[in-house]
Amino acid sequence: MFNFIKQAFRSIYTQFSSKLAPILKQKSLDEQSIKELEKLLIAADTGISTTRYIINRLKTESAHISLDKTLHTILLDTLQAVPQPSTNAQIYLLVGINGSGKTTFAGKLAHYYATQGKRVLLVAADTFRAAASAQLHIWAQQAGVTIVTGDAHQDPSSVIFAGCSRYINEKFDIFIIDTAGRLQTKTNLMHELAKIKKVITKQLPHSTVQTLLTIDAMLGQNSFEQAALFKECTSLSGIVLTKMDSTGKGGIVFAIAKELQIPVLYVSYGEKIDQMVPFDAPKYVQELVYERI
Ligand code: GDP
């Protein structure tokens, strides 16, 4: 049986779920268990305000229902309160800072669709980092998909323009664009992303675009600041949480939902091409609260 947490996020299980179990076994919440739960949630990067929200609801709602059931409801509500984008997108625009796992995820997403029999076109629009195109080339070969690259320092929009033409002319099903991840000012980032999006909507006006922000799950508060900056610069469809294999901090998912109101849509959990899954909120919460090794 596919097991969302134990397969992908073993460390989340050992650092979070397994410690949650003894707290949830109790009949009601006393001061001591509130403190323990608070500590556990904060250590898991749930954030102070989301942790307070969860504990306050737990205190009021667990009077007549068991603690585990109440916590399950609250955690799932938190994730499901965030509006979800359309699921049948053809175009995926990946944004995020260097090192956040963007190129790796582009390769994994290409593989994910290629294994479903889709014809995938990858575009290496990060013309600023010399190794980025070469890295994406390797992923494209591994996934068995076509790739469009540009010259070093070529305007990313012109590479995307060339990609759009091939997408149309050669009738690809899925179009994945890896963008540059330079740290830059808000105004520059805003202009660059607006220019890229204008090229896409002009060339492909009838396609559905998902703009996905990759954030490194290990970076905690820094990831939040990055996500907030990107959210101010462009409209984001969702977040790809990367490096979930290297963190035990499973609470970040709730903080992102509650504080940023952006859905987590995918998780990436390793360096192999098949180590990513679409994020499944009910499964995640179910296993976080109930699964036992
Ligand atoms: P980019 O600069 O945003 O394109 O980031 P890369 O895709 O180049 O990834 C940066 C580093 O993180 C590389 O060494 C990747 O192998 C590694 N990496 C990316 N995703 C994951 C992941 O999910 N888990 C682990 N453990 N490492 C990852």
Side-chain angles (χ1 to χ4, degrees):
M1 191 182 78
F2 179 68
N3 195 314
F4 203 66
I5 288 187
K6 281 180 216 159
Q7 263 196 5
F9 323 124
R10 190 159 285 279
S11 49
I12 292 181
Y13 184 82
T14 47
Q15 289 181 44
F16 186 73
S17 293
S18 66
K19 293 180 185 163
L20 194 61
I23 302 174
L24 297 181
K25 257 196 206 136
Q26 299 178 41
K27 287 233 159 1
S28 62
L29 273 182
D30 56 21
E31 277 308 310
Q32 179 64 20
S33 43
I34 288 174
K35 274 201 188 117
E36 277 171 33
L37 185 57
E38 205 166 41
K39 229 168 89 184
L40 191 60
L41 287 167
I42 287 175
D45 272 348
T46 312
I48 292 174
S49 76
T50 306
T51 296
R52 275 201 198 121
Y53 163 82
I54 293 169
I55 303 258
N56 287 341
R57 273 193 63 180
L58 201 59
K59 279 184 193 164
T60 51
E61 295 172 28
S62 64
H64 305 292
I65 311 167
S66 66
L67 281 177
D68 55 358
K69 268 195 189 147
T70 316
L71 184 65
H72 180 274
T73 305
I74 298 167
L75 295 181
L76 194 54
D77 278 0
T78 307
L79 298 182
Q80 291 183 332
V82 183
Q84 300 287 314
S86 151
T87 50
N88 61 347
Q90 299 85 36
I91 303 172
Y92 295 87
L93 179 65
L94 305 182
V95 301
I97 67 156
N98 276 344
S100 61
K102 201 163 14 73
T103 306
T104 305
F105 180 74
K108 290 177 177 184
L109 192 63
H111 169 79
Y112 175 77
Y113 281 116
T115 55
Q116 293 174 25
K118 307 267 190 211
R119 294 184 64 241
V120 180
L121 180 66
L122 267 175
V123 173
D126 182 354
T127 52
F128 294 91
R129 196 163 60 93
S133 282
Q135 201 184 328
L136 199 61
H137 230 285
I138 296 170
W139 284 118
Q141 272 179 337
Q142 225 181 309
V145 306
T146 308
I147 182 168
V148 170
T149 55
D151 297 326
H153 301 291
Q154 186 181 334
D155 180 353
S157 294
S158 72
V159 186
I160 294 169
F161 185 90
C164 288
S165 304
R166 283 197 67 174
Y167 177 78
I168 299 164
N169 295 335
E170 296 174 40
K171 298 190 169 53
F172 283 95
D173 302 309
I174 300 288
F175 187 31
I176 300 169
I177 304 162
D178 184 24
T179 63
R182 291 166 304 154
L183 271 180
Q184 47 182 334
T185 64
K186 189 170 140 188
T187 322
N188 287 350
L189 182 63
M190 206 180 270
H191 283 149
E192 188 170 301
L193 293 174
K195 194 170 163 190
I196 288 174
K197 286 192 169 177
K198 202 167 149 196
V199 168
I200 300 170
T201 44
K202 210 165 165 192
Q203 294 255 310
L204 302 163
H206 305 299
S207 299
T208 307
V209 184
Q210 268 195 9
T211 305
L212 301 175
L213 172 69
T214 48
I215 65 174
D216 180 337
M218 294 197 298
L219 294 182
Q221 194 54 40
N222 281 344
S223 303
F224 264 78
E225 283 157 20
Q226 283 168 27
L229 171 71
F230 275 91
K231 193 183 173 186
E232 281 176 43
C233 289
T234 194
S235 76
L236 295 171
S237 316
I239 280 175
V240 179
L241 261 184
T242 65
K243 310 188 194 179
M244 284 290 267
D245 52 310
S246 311
T247 179
K249 303 189 175 219
I252 192 170
V253 169
F254 305 104
I256 287 171
K258 186 84 180 73
E259 288 167 43
L260 296 173
Q261 290 289 300
I262 310 173
V264 172
L265 297 182
Y266 299 92
V267 284
S268 175
Y269 58 92
E271 297 184 74
K272 295 205 188 98
I273 203 161
D274 60 352
Q275 289 181 319
M276 77 89 160
V277 276
F279 182 69
D280 183 327
K283 217 176 236 175
Y284 185 70
V285 173
Q286 174 75 19
E287 293 184 14
L288 211 55
V289 177
Y290 291 113
E291 282 293 325
R292 307 286 169 256
I293 277 178

